[in-house]
Amino acid sequence: MKRNENLTRREREKQKQREDMLAAALTLFSEKGYHNVSMQEIAGKAEFAIGTLYKFFRNKEDLYKTLMVEKVDSFQSALTAAIEDADDEIEKLRNYVRVKAALFQADAPVIRLYFAETRGASFNVRAGLDNEIRKKHEQFLKKLALVFEAGIRKQRFRKIAAPYDLAVALDSLTNTFLHLWLEAPELHPFPEDPDILLNILFQGLIEIDP
Amino acid sequence: MKRNENLTRREREKQKQREDMLAAALTLFSEKGYHNVSMQEIAGKAEFAIGTLYKFFRNKEDLYKTLMVEKVDSFQSALTAAIEDADDEIEKLRNYVRVKAALFQADAPVIRLYFAETRGASFNVRAGLDNEIRKKHEQFLKKLALVFEAGIRKQRFRKIAAPYDLAVALDSLTNTFLHLWLEAPELHPFPEDPDILLNILFQGLIEIDP
DNA sequence: CCATAATGTGAACTGCACGTCACATTATGA
DNA sequence: TCATAATGTGACGTGCAGTTCACATTATGG
């Protein structure tokens, strides 16, 4: 986030306009998908003429890419902070689930879009963006894996799988359950307590002595 | 699968043509996504004229929908059989993982497409199809939940979460890990033994006495 | 072998969406 | 106040993709 200080009134206005355009685009993309939204429509929703939209973004893909990269970056840093802020490994994981839940709740449209283009195919938009997002996601998974690795090293966790695989598993489970909650909160309310989700990992389904 | 008997040569030929068209469409859709494939292209790949394509399918969406529903149906019935064929609950789950892995391996293009449109957004194509697929998926999850429920009732499983949630978790984990394997088999080879995946659920990460 | 039906073909029609640009409007500051 | 620059506008050019349909080709069976 850039500071608003040291900017002329005009610059602040332009920034606001840019944000409005991105917001309009985000809503439309997340509602209807990249291909089913026209630049005309975005301009209309943001209350600008198409020409103005093109003054801010080279083309549709640039607009989309800008949108996604900005959002993904902010998500990644929030999640990274979440697993770095606590000392205890278990608390790190709880933090992760809590923060991720909050992000999902606060920014449902982006989340939907993120899933659409990330989990979905690698072809919805040009490959370039997708790779960038995948790379960032991969980076985060590696950080999450370090938490599991440390936990296992300190013998707080049993080594039921490779650290990276555990990170993938946790990522997958949180995505799925949060997604469930996002799409049908009345059927699948998401619990406040992160342990309800984490217990699926923490406790074993079958009683096995080590 | 319809029997090929009792069909005239012509009818068999037409069926073959239909299959060729669907196969060409499948490959292209899974490579480039619904919106980035033209009917022209599909016709070309299947070695027919566009007009012929339209003799078989009302329009592009009909073609796509036919394709997906046929495939999803066959997947669902294979997976349903997998969890019904064994008696023991644990074996049912192992069967499920094994069969799903085989399906992923055998039909990678469809799987990619399935993920693209199912996991992704509910808007890549018209809502109709998506809902139909979601409904089928939901049905299957309920069947899978019954396995967990029975296992818990018979005290073969500890009740670490609601049966439906366990079904969701297993579905999510298999999707994620199989997807990983599908996209980068050299980095993440999928193991033959289904327990390597199931252990994440079966064993608890933290030692907790009941 | 030929008349008729069934099937296959692809040029052309239609509409839409991206992106441009000449002009209109608004802001600046001398 | 007004000349000049900066910004905003939306009609239009361009190309592409879905769909149609009149005609060509092939099959049927008498």
Side-chain angles (χ1 to χ4, degrees):
Chain A
M1 304 276 172
K2 280 176 194 162
R3 286 280 117 256
N4 272 5
E5 306 154 29
N6 307 335
L7 294 180
T8 68
R9 204 178 61 98
R10 202 74 246 292
E11 283 169 325
R12 267 178 283 126
E13 261 172 18
K14 289 198 83 173
Q15 196 165 302
K16 172 77 165 61
Q17 289 176 335
R18 201 186 108 106
E19 278 165 21
D20 286 349
M21 289 176 185
L22 286 171
L26 174 59
T27 307
L28 288 170
F29 281 144
S30 70
E31 276 170 359
K32 311 168 57 172
Y34 181 80
H35 288 283
N36 299 319
V37 173
S38 68
M39 291 298 265
Q40 199 63 249
E41 220 176 334
I42 296 170
K45 179 151 192 127
E47 294 178 278
F48 290 101
I50 310 193
T52 315
L53 199 53
Y54 278 93
K55 288 272 158 74
F56 283 77
F57 304 96
R58 259 193 316 286
N59 52 40
K60 190 180 177 183
E61 196 176 325
D62 178 47
L63 168 57
Y64 179 80
K65 182 165 177 164
T66 303
L67 190 61
M68 288 305 283
V69 169
E70 263 179 30
K71 287 293 180 178
V72 168
D73 278 350
S74 90
F75 286 155
Q76 301 291 25
S77 48
L79 290 175
T80 302
I83 61 173
E84 283 172 351
D85 278 359
D87 286 325
D88 181 76
E89 276 75 28
I90 294 181
E91 271 316 309
K92 280 172 189 271
L93 298 185
R94 287 198 180 115
N95 240 338
Y96 167 72
V97 175
R98 269 192 294 258
V99 168
K100 196 162 174 177
L103 290 174
F104 270 61
Q105 225 175 130
D107 245 335
V110 208
I111 297 294
R112 255 184 283 263
L113 194 52
Y114 179 85
F115 275 112
E117 309 295 348
T118 303
R119 301 236 92 192
S122 44
F123 45 63
N124 282 346
V125 188
R126 289 219 167 294
L129 166 59
D130 226 58
N131 289 337
E132 200 164 325
I133 289 182
R134 271 188 216 285
K135 212 176 286 172
K136 285 175 195 293
H137 186 231
E138 192 57 31
Q139 280 170 18
F140 177 77
L141 282 181
K142 279 175 184 157
K143 281 182 195 155
L144 189 55
L146 291 180
V147 176
F148 285 104
E149 205 205 305
I152 291 168
R153 198 177 342 103
K154 296 181 194 166
Q155 303 198 339
R156 295 185 59 72
F157 298 151
R158 286 161 61 203
K159 186 164 177 158
I160 62 170
Y164 182 81
D165 286 359
L166 288 170
V168 169
L170 180 56
D171 185 64
S172 165
L173 289 174
T174 47
N175 283 347
T176 304
F177 281 101
L178 288 169
H179 196 260
L180 211 61
W181 164 78
L182 194 68
E183 298 307 331
E186 64 289 350
L187 289 178
H188 309 282
F190 190 72
E192 291 299 311
D193 184 4
D195 277 15
I196 292 188
L197 196 159
L198 285 167
N199 273 349
I200 292 178
L201 276 184
F202 285 172
Q203 303 190 322
L205 191 55
I206 302 172
E207 297 178 61
I208 296 179
D209 294 323
Chain B
M1 303 275 173
K2 280 175 195 162
R3 286 279 118 259
N4 272 5
E5 306 153 29
N6 308 336
L7 295 180
T8 69
R9 205 178 62 97
R10 202 76 247 292
E11 283 168 325
R12 265 177 286 127
E13 260 172 18
K14 289 200 83 174
Q15 196 164 301
K16 173 76 165 59
Q17 290 176 335
R18 203 187 105 106
E19 279 165 21
D20 286 350
M21 289 175 184
L22 286 170
L26 174 60
T27 308
L28 289 170
F29 281 144
S30 69
E31 275 169 1
K32 311 167 56 173
Y34 182 79
H35 288 283
N36 299 320
V37 173
S38 69
M39 291 297 266
Q40 199 64 250
E41 221 175 332
I42 296 170
K45 180 153 192 126
E47 294 177 279
F48 289 100
I50 311 192
T52 315
L53 199 53
Y54 277 91
K55 287 274 159 74
F56 284 76
F57 304 96
R58 259 193 316 286
N59 52 39
K60 191 180 178 185
E61 197 176 326
D62 179 46
L63 169 57
Y64 179 81
K65 183 165 177 163
T66 303
L67 190 61
M68 289 304 282
V69 168
E70 262 179 30
K71 287 293 179 180
V72 168
D73 278 350
S74 90
F75 286 156
Q76 301 291 26
S77 49
L79 290 174
T80 303
I83 60 175
E84 284 173 348
D85 278 0
D87 286 326
D88 181 76
E89 276 75 29
I90 295 181
E91 270 317 308
K92 280 170 189 273
L93 298 184
R94 288 197 179 116
N95 240 337
Y96 167 72
V97 175
R98 267 192 295 257
V99 168
K100 197 163 173 176
L103 289 175
F104 270 60
Q105 227 176 127
D107 246 334
V110 208
I111 297 294
R112 256 184 282 265
L113 194 52
Y114 180 84
F115 274 111
E117 310 293 349
T118 303
R119 301 242 82 196
S122 43
F123 46 62
N124 283 345
V125 187
R126 290 219 166 296
L129 166 60
D130 228 55
N131 288 337
E132 199 163 328
I133 289 181
R134 271 189 216 284
K135 211 175 288 173
K136 285 175 195 291
H137 186 232
E138 192 58 31
Q139 280 170 19
F140 176 75
L141 282 181
K142 279 176 184 158
K143 282 182 195 155
L144 188 55
L146 290 180
V147 175
F148 285 104
E149 206 205 304
I152 291 168
R153 196 176 346 101
K154 296 182 194 167
Q155 304 198 337
R156 294 186 60 75
F157 299 150
R158 284 161 62 202
K159 186 166 177 155
I160 62 170
Y164 182 80
D165 286 359
L166 288 170
V168 169
L170 180 56
D171 185 62
S172 166
L173 288 175
T174 46
N175 283 347
T176 305
F177 281 101
L178 289 169
H179 196 260
L180 212 62
W181 163 79
L182 194 68
E183 297 308 331
E186 65 288 350
L187 289 178
H188 308 282
F190 190 74
E192 290 298 313
D193 185 3
D195 278 14
I196 292 187
L197 196 158
L198 285 167
N199 273 348
I200 293 178
L201 276 186
F202 284 171
Q203 303 190 323
L205 192 55
I206 302 172
E207 298 177 63
I208 296 179
D209 294 323

